[in-house]
Amino acid sequence: MTNQRNQPTVQDVTYDLLRTLELTTIFGNPGSTEETFLKNFPDDFTYVLGLQEASVLAMADGFAQSTGKPALVNVHTGAGTGNAMGNLIAAYQGNTPLIVTAGQQTREMVGVDPYLTNKDATLMPLPWVKWAYEPARAEDVPAAFMRAYAVALQPPAGPVYLSIPLDDWDKPALGPAVVRTVSYRVGPDAARLREFAARIDAAQNPMVVLGPEVDRAGAWDAGVAFAEKFGAPVYNCPLADRVSFPENHRLYRGTVPMTISGATELMRGHDLVIVIGAQVFRYYPYVAGEYLPDGSDLLQMTADPEISGAAPVGDSLLGDPLLVLEQLIDLISDHSDRQLPAAQVPAVEVDRTESAPLSTDAVWSTLADVRPADTALVMESTSTLAELRWLLTTRPASFFATASGGIGWGVPGAVGVALGDRARGVNRTVVATIGDGSFQYSIQAIYTAAQHKLPVVFVVMRNGEYSVLKSFALLEKTPGVPGLELPGLDIESLAIGFGCHAVTVGDIDQLAKEFNAALGADGPTVIVVPTKPKPANLG
């Protein structure tokens, strides 16, 4: 739309800029202060409706992770920003490039604090965005979007926030927006990388930890090539939100424990610990110990100066994981003939004849049998993290979890991943394993899955309690904590009410049958699996 003098408006110029930047999918829940931005919505744009801003934010997060490109989120002034904050933290800690826009009251009224004013708008989302800005003039809005795009994408990537008064969109623009291109990789210091390579070559009994940055950087194949040439055991970092190494590889040895003492015991005996694309380490809960055992050194390579600065031990190098790994492969000698002890895989006996409630091992091992290799897995069943050993990740960009530790990301995150797959022309099923408590946080996201007929299978582990919190209560010696039981939830009926096919299974055979049917369904399926509570592994 143009104004009466046929001069392009701020809205015209901004939408043209978004087209150029290929930001034509907008995630949102429309509010009164955003309707001036959304009016006469262009036919070449897609609006993805979520029923609450927490879901909207996580959908955009999953979408951006699937496509590998920034995503645009539109929330409602300060109230909508507040709703979205929990999943905004996850996006920040997961380095997801998002442009979050929030409507603001009319400029002429802001000074008198009218209803729905986003007071101190640029302060509210801090510190969980890289940049927060409210343009000083309506004419500055397009340039603010261009800067937001650049800041969100440049490493370490992450969300940014724009607060835009609702009357800005009809104002005349100064002219077309200035379009810029920006780099999203930073190369490592060559001399320091050579020094690291020499120390790596000299190691006698090293181990490698590959973190989420590797998969996010598109460096999966480079990580495998480095590991095979170096010939050392490879571990996932603790509490990983992405998996960066095939878990069926001969060099794979599992996940670093999440406690200080547990990680130390794993590292003991290794003279060099090489951490690429991860924090050192993502610890939780607190179990005291030394950060690094005697006789061990640690090298950290990351694109994020914040987690480099926070490392309690070791020497760090900043650089994009893909560039680091590609150069390291050429700098190190061939150690592929290194002799390693065989991987120790504990035998687990599983009873698949029982009726519900089922053991978690029976459920996960069954899912391992029926899940196609090309599916994506979204994980938010926090009390069954140990059972992830059944569902091996063997392909890049196929494991996703929250980076913040807060629940409520997994259900909308799975919706976003499926939408991103569709946008990039990838045909695969998204399997979301969700706890019954987690499922309630953002349950409204399954409405969006149903409306878009997305290929998502939600497997809801219904143990009737917050099992992981009961485990923490034991660890922290806090008996008598209230609110840890979840009776009376009819998840199947709730899912049907949002438009999904849903079923509650009574045994393993029915689980396998319903899962296979869901793979061929025209839309999402919610499979509720009554399970036996089991203490979580907090080591």
Side-chain angles (χ1 to χ4, degrees):
M1 177 178 288
T2 55
N3 61 20
Q4 292 179 346
R5 296 182 179 178
N6 214 31
Q7 181 178 358
T9 65
V10 167
Q11 186 194 34
D12 295 328
V13 172
T14 300
Y15 272 101
D16 284 342
L17 173 65
L18 295 176
R19 287 185 183 95
T20 302
L21 299 177
E22 298 182 343
L23 294 175
T24 57
T25 299
I26 300 175
F27 292 82
N29 180 269
S32 56
T33 56
E34 291 75 46
E35 288 182 311
T36 50
F37 167 54
L38 298 171
K39 70 177 181 179
N40 300 317
F41 196 68
D43 292 339
D44 58 332
F45 277 66
T46 299
Y47 187 85
V48 178
L49 172 65
L51 301 185
Q52 206 259 12
E53 286 93 348
S55 289
V56 165
L57 199 293
M59 286 180 205
D61 187 339
F63 183 86
Q65 291 198 54
S66 173
T67 62
K69 299 178 180 179
L72 183 61
V73 187
N74 188 226
V75 300
H76 184 37
T77 187
T81 302
N83 287 338
M85 281 299 295
N87 283 327
L88 184 63
I89 295 171
Y92 180 85
Q93 294 188 322
N95 298 126
T96 303
L98 299 179
I99 300 174
V100 182
T101 65
Q104 174 64 295
Q105 263 290 4
T106 308
R107 286 184 183 271
E108 283 78 359
M109 288 203 302
V110 167
V112 297
D113 284 344
Y115 198 57
L116 289 176
T117 298
N118 195 354
K119 188 174 182 179
D120 292 331
T122 59
L123 299 181
M124 184 175 182
L126 298 178
W128 304 113
V129 292
K130 294 180 63 181
W131 181 59
Y133 183 64
E134 186 174 282
R137 305 177 302 165
E139 296 88 343
D140 298 329
V141 169
F145 270 88
M146 186 64 246
R147 180 173 174 181
Y149 178 86
V151 174
L153 188 59
Q154 292 178 124
V160 297
Y161 184 84
L162 295 177
S163 172
I164 304 171
L166 66 88
D167 55 325
D168 281 4
W169 299 105
D170 278 339
K171 300 290 176 58
L174 296 176
V178 175
V179 180
R180 305 170 51 238
T181 60
V182 295
S183 172
Y184 57 91
R185 297 193 190 276
V186 174
D189 177 271
R192 189 164 178 82
L193 187 62
R194 286 194 299 270
E195 174 195 332
F196 275 33
R199 293 171 66 179
I200 290 170
D201 257 344
Q204 297 300 304
N205 186 26
M207 61 176 278
V208 177
V209 180
L210 296 180
E213 291 178 41
V214 174
D215 193 44
R216 286 199 294 265
W220 175 285
D221 291 339
V224 173
F226 167 75
E228 290 179 345
K229 186 174 183 180
F230 189 46
V234 179
Y235 293 84
N236 284 329
C237 71
L239 299 166
D241 50 290
R242 298 280 288 263
V243 170
S244 295
F245 193 78
E247 295 177 324
N248 60 349
H249 195 281
R250 62 180 179 83
L251 294 174
Y252 179 70
R253 292 296 184 272
T255 299
V256 175
M258 66 181 83
T259 63
I260 298 171
S261 64
T264 299
E265 288 308 308
L266 179 69
M267 293 184 286
R268 196 175 303 282
H270 293 285
D271 59 336
L272 185 64
V273 180
I274 303 157
V275 181
I276 302 177
Q279 183 177 350
V280 179
F281 285 107
R282 192 174 269 173
Y283 298 114
Y284 194 79
Y286 177 68
V287 179
E290 297 296 325
Y291 285 109
L292 195 65
D294 290 341
S296 299
D297 287 329
L298 187 145
L299 301 178
Q300 180 195 32
M301 288 159 270
T302 173
D304 191 341
E306 186 172 344
I307 65 172
S308 169
V313 291
D315 300 324
S316 295
L317 168 70
L318 292 175
D320 180 85
L322 178 62
L323 302 181
V324 165
L325 285 163
E326 287 178 339
Q327 294 177 44
L328 271 180
I329 291 168
D330 293 334
L331 290 171
I332 65 171
S333 303
D334 189 343
H335 301 274
S336 58
D337 59 352
R338 196 190 306 269
Q339 297 300 307
L340 298 180
Q344 300 297 314
V345 181
V348 178
E349 292 189 12
V350 179
D351 181 5
R352 297 198 185 187
T353 64
E354 60 187 2
S355 298
L358 305 173
S359 73
T360 52
D361 278 311
V363 174
W364 286 78
S365 62
T366 300
L367 293 178
D369 289 343
V370 297
R371 181 178 71 118
D374 63 349
T375 58
L377 177 64
V378 176
M379 169 64 172
E380 194 170 281
S381 176
T382 53
S383 64
T384 60
L385 284 173
E387 281 73 23
L388 264 178
R389 67 183 183 278
W390 292 105
L391 293 180
L392 302 180
T393 296
T394 61
R395 302 186 182 196
S398 58
F399 177 88
F400 305 89
T402 179
S404 72
I407 60 178
W409 184 92
V411 174
V415 173
V417 170
L419 285 167
D421 286 351
R422 181 175 288 177
R424 62 192 180 100
V426 170
N427 182 22
R428 66 175 177 176
T429 299
V430 178
V431 178
T433 53
I434 311 291
D436 52 359
S438 291
F439 197 72
Q440 306 311 308
Y441 269 62
S442 300
I443 190 172
Q444 67 282 123
I446 65 175
Y447 170 83
T448 305
Q451 291 298 305
H452 289 263
K453 297 185 181 301
L454 295 176
V456 184
V457 184
F458 298 99
V459 181
V460 183
M461 314 289 276
R462 178 75 175 108
N463 61 17
E465 63 180 34
Y466 290 121
S467 286
V468 70
L469 295 182
K470 289 189 174 183
S471 298
F472 274 110
L474 293 173
L475 176 70
E476 297 167 351
K477 298 180 176 59
T478 54
V481 175
L484 302 187
E485 305 293 335
L486 293 173
L489 283 175
D490 186 351
I491 294 173
E492 179 182 342
S493 295
L494 289 169
I496 292 171
F498 280 108
C500 294
H501 173 67
V503 61
T504 301
V505 300
D507 55 37
I508 288 299
D509 289 341
Q510 188 184 10
L511 171 60
K513 177 183 176 182
E514 294 294 343
F515 188 91
N516 283 320
L519 293 175
D522 184 22
T525 299
V526 176
I527 301 175
V528 184
V529 188
T531 57
K532 298 173 184 175
K534 180 182 179 181
N537 181 3
L538 301 178

